[in-house]
Amino acid sequence: MPNKYQVKIEETILPQLYTFDQLIDAGLLDEVDENIKVRLIGDSTWVTARSFPFSDSESNQANNCVSASKSKREAFAHVRTTTIYNETMEQSPNQASISNISQLQQEYPPIIEVWNWGAFSLSWIWGVFNGLYWPLIIIVINFIPYVGVIISLCICVLLGKNGNLYAWRKARQKGDTVEHFTFIQSKWNTAGQIGVVVFLLLLLVLLMIYAL
């Protein structure tokens, strides 16, 4: 699993965690800037991004990050860093880096990588309220003998894993902000957790009654 890094620009600590590849894609290693610092999750010491003691493989990659950035940007489907670079060519290094990072967070907020219990346990109900109607197929699939429940469970797992990503694509089309989207999905996540607990308690009660 790749290392995760925190980033600090001047005195501001960014909330998002970055892999080494994302540090390169954000342009944080392209320039020697004393105001851009990073630290490995779990460490307490901040080090200038360009001088950070990365692993051997990462250090070799960092030395060629300028030439490698172009190919990585093309492979990094979640971020349009080429457009970001063109828009910030006339800015200072600090302004360009801050603008890049802000654009990265706007493209895909960190919450999209988090499991969504609301999407998992409430499935099509969560989908309808978030502008996703294809999960309604679960209602029909449940009537399929034997395999219907298994297929429905697989769809629920898919929604739990990728639900935030699906919902963010819809929310972004409506002009929703990262902060509001994160707030709404956190509420759905809490509701889903409560739903799972209630379901397990009911199942336990039924098993106890059956055992009697």
Side-chain angles (χ1 to χ4, degrees):
M1 185 173 183
N3 292 329
K4 292 283 188 176
Y5 300 93
Q6 280 185 301
V7 176
K8 180 170 73 172
I9 298 179
E10 295 182 346
E11 297 302 321
T12 302
I13 300 177
L14 302 179
Q16 182 175 349
L17 300 181
Y18 292 85
T19 63
F20 181 76
D21 285 346
Q22 289 171 330
L23 290 177
I24 292 179
D25 289 322
L28 296 173
L29 303 182
D30 292 348
E31 299 289 345
V32 179
D33 192 336
E34 297 295 330
N35 292 320
I36 301 177
K37 298 181 179 181
V38 299
R39 70 179 178 185
L40 188 65
I41 293 302
D43 289 349
S44 58
T45 304
W46 291 97
V47 180
T48 302
R50 201 67 174 91
S51 304
F52 190 87
F54 296 104
S55 64
D56 291 341
S57 59
E58 289 176 335
S59 296
N60 292 334
Q61 189 175 354
N63 291 331
N64 299 295
C65 66
V66 175
S67 60
S69 293
K70 184 176 179 179
S71 60
K72 287 183 175 295
R73 287 187 180 98
E74 295 173 352
F76 194 41
H78 298 313
V79 189
R80 293 173 297 142
T81 50
T82 302
T83 301
I84 297 169
Y85 175 77
N86 292 332
E87 292 174 350
T88 58
M89 277 293 291
E90 297 180 357
Q91 298 178 0
S92 67
N94 282 355
Q95 292 173 323
S97 296
I98 294 172
S99 177
N100 288 355
I101 293 167
S102 176
Q103 184 69 24
L104 286 172
Q105 292 175 331
Q106 184 64 30
E107 281 291 321
Y108 290 93
I111 196 176
I112 66 170
E113 299 178 357
V114 178
W115 176 271
N116 191 323
W117 285 102
F120 170 76
S121 62
L122 300 176
S123 59
W124 62 269
I125 298 176
W126 170 90
V128 169
F129 278 93
N130 285 276
L132 297 167
Y133 299 102
W134 64 263
L136 286 168
I137 196 174
I138 291 177
I139 300 175
V140 178
I141 291 176
N142 281 331
F143 289 99
I144 300 177
Y146 307 113
V147 299
V149 174
I150 297 176
I151 296 175
S152 296
L153 180 60
C154 291
I155 295 176
C156 288
V157 171
L158 177 65
L159 289 172
K161 183 178 184 298
N162 298 323
N164 286 328
L165 176 59
Y166 300 151
W168 171 243
R169 288 172 178 170
K170 288 290 185 179
R172 187 172 58 179
Q173 292 175 0
K174 298 177 181 178
D176 201 359
T177 63
V178 172
E179 292 76 12
H180 182 259
F181 173 78
T182 301
F183 174 77
I184 294 298
Q185 293 309 315
S186 66
K187 294 297 183 183
W188 276 106
N189 193 57
T190 300
Q193 291 173 338
I194 294 174
V196 170
V197 172
V198 171
F199 172 78
L200 292 177
L201 289 176
L202 289 175
L203 182 62
L204 179 60
V205 170
L206 291 175
L207 289 175
M208 292 175 64
I209 294 176
Y210 180 78
L212 295 177

